[in-house]
Amino acid sequence: MTKKLLFLIFSFTCLTACDMLESHPYDVHITGERGLTEKNIRLIENKMEGRKTMRFAFLTDTQRWYDDTEDAIKVINARNDIDFVIHGGDQSDFGATKEFIWMRDLFANFQMPYVCLLGNHDCLGTGEEAYRTIYGNPNFAFTAGNVRFICLNTNALEYDYSEPVPDFNFIEEELNNLPEEVEKTVFVMHVKPYEMVFNNNVAKVFQLYINQFPNVQFCLYGHEHQLAVDDLFGDGVLYYQCPCIHKRTYLVFTLNEDGTYDYEPTTF
């Protein structure tokens, strides 16, 4: 069953059962914490200032799998060696407001700062508005020690090409205004180039931009729910895909001072 058909079925069910609901599922009535990306970026940057080694966890596509997500959070917290966490998008399945609130409240249990990207399912209905309210701009970046993490909205198909996705103005601004301490770069996105949701008219241009950044370590993505490692463009920049959380797997990366890094797919 396609994502669009699931969305229509979900919407119809909600509308025909409206007297059973306290509010419309797409009302974007957000209670609790907002602006979490900016808040957590400050925490990451303060925590990692001056560091040249670091370890972070990457998980993604947690939509509907609340128990698996809760277990992953407990496991990551118990490690006591993770500096911060990146979520690769699709925390909702239908873009409903409460899906974002439920996941946000689960993520609040992380004992380390975290950031969340926008996924293609997060764009359904009023999902992007809910995401922006709780987190902020879908394109954002932060500096952890000497590494610049550039997190991008690459869900072009969800916009019918009505907006610049990926946003090259944002990428170029990042390139022209890198903090002095940055020596390495990591790119994070929900959808990789050459997947149908990406704007593949600009896939090669996208990679040309990426290769202008200092010492690109690798790129991270989710969306396809599988574990994979690919040199998509044959230029040595590896793209690491993380499975959906229902497969009870997350990735751990350790960036070392000598310019090397370690990659650890972790099951729980």
Side-chain angles (χ1 to χ4, degrees):
M1 189 177 292
T2 67
K3 181 185 65 174
K4 294 291 186 184
L5 182 55
L6 280 170
F7 171 62
L8 289 172
I9 293 171
F10 178 77
S11 300
F12 178 77
T13 302
C14 291
L15 289 172
T16 55
C18 58
D19 14 339
M20 299 172 61
L21 299 172
E22 295 180 1
S23 58
H24 193 280
Y26 297 105
D27 63 2
V28 199
H29 177 62
I30 305 294
T31 57
E33 282 199 283
R34 301 180 177 208
L36 286 174
T37 298
E38 183 178 349
K39 173 186 174 181
N40 279 292
I41 282 176
R42 287 198 302 269
L43 292 173
I44 294 171
E45 293 189 333
N46 290 338
K47 179 179 183 179
M48 305 305 295
E49 186 175 4
R51 295 269 297 274
K52 293 194 174 183
T53 62
M54 65 197 69
R55 180 172 291 131
F56 69 93
F58 180 61
L59 72 163
T60 187
D61 295 84
T62 55
Q63 64 248 57
R64 289 186 294 157
W65 294 307
Y66 299 101
D67 290 343
D68 295 320
T69 302
E70 185 175 15
D71 289 346
I73 292 168
K74 290 176 180 176
V75 167
I76 292 171
N77 285 341
R79 290 180 58 119
N80 295 319
D81 66 345
I82 300 297
D83 293 309
F84 56 92
V85 175
I86 301 176
H87 185 290
D90 274 2
Q91 57 185 287
S92 78
D93 206 13
F94 304 103
T97 300
K98 284 191 175 179
E99 290 183 291
F100 289 94
I101 293 174
W102 291 333
M103 277 295 173
R104 179 204 62 192
D105 292 348
L106 273 180
F107 298 155
N109 293 310
F110 275 124
Q111 294 175 4
M112 64 288 294
Y114 69 92
V115 293
C116 293
L117 278 76
L118 181 74
N120 62 310
H121 279 256
D122 299 330
C123 297
L124 294 175
T126 55
E128 184 185 347
E129 186 180 351
Y131 172 92
R132 284 180 176 272
T133 301
I134 293 174
Y135 296 101
N137 196 313
N139 295 297
F140 61 92
F142 61 93
T143 302
N146 63 346
V147 184
R148 190 67 171 172
F149 286 79
I150 300 176
C151 303
L152 300 170
N153 173 15
T154 56
N155 307 294
L157 186 64
E158 304 304 331
Y159 295 82
D160 296 321
Y161 304 103
S162 60
E163 294 186 27
V165 178
D167 188 341
F168 288 111
N169 287 330
F170 174 82
I171 296 171
E172 189 164 337
E173 185 175 343
E174 276 293 311
L175 181 62
N176 293 333
N177 295 282
L178 287 171
E180 291 182 4
E181 65 270 24
V182 170
E183 298 173 352
K184 307 173 186 177
T185 315
V186 171
F187 283 87
V188 193
M189 62 206 78
H190 182 66
V191 179
K192 76 176 191 300
Y194 297 134
E195 204 283 332
M196 64 174 291
V197 177
F198 196 92
N199 179 1
N200 288 306
N201 290 321
V202 298
K204 291 183 179 180
V205 177
F206 178 78
Q207 193 68 6
L208 285 172
Y209 265 99
I210 282 179
N211 279 318
Q212 294 182 60
F213 283 78
N215 296 320
V216 176
Q217 302 292 286
F218 45 80
C219 298
L220 301 176
Y221 69 101
H223 180 60
E224 297 171 61
H225 295 198
Q226 304 294 326
L227 182 66
V229 183
D230 294 297
D231 184 350
L232 291 181
F233 294 88
D235 57 3
V237 176
L238 295 181
Y239 280 72
Y240 290 89
Q241 179 184 171
C242 184
C244 63
I245 205 65
H246 189 51
K247 294 187 176 176
R248 299 182 69 83
T249 301
Y250 64 94
L251 307 183
V252 175
F253 289 87
T254 305
L255 302 182
N256 304 307
E257 185 173 358
D258 64 3
T260 62
Y261 67 86
D262 300 308
Y263 158 64
E264 177 192 349
T266 305
T267 57
F268 59 94

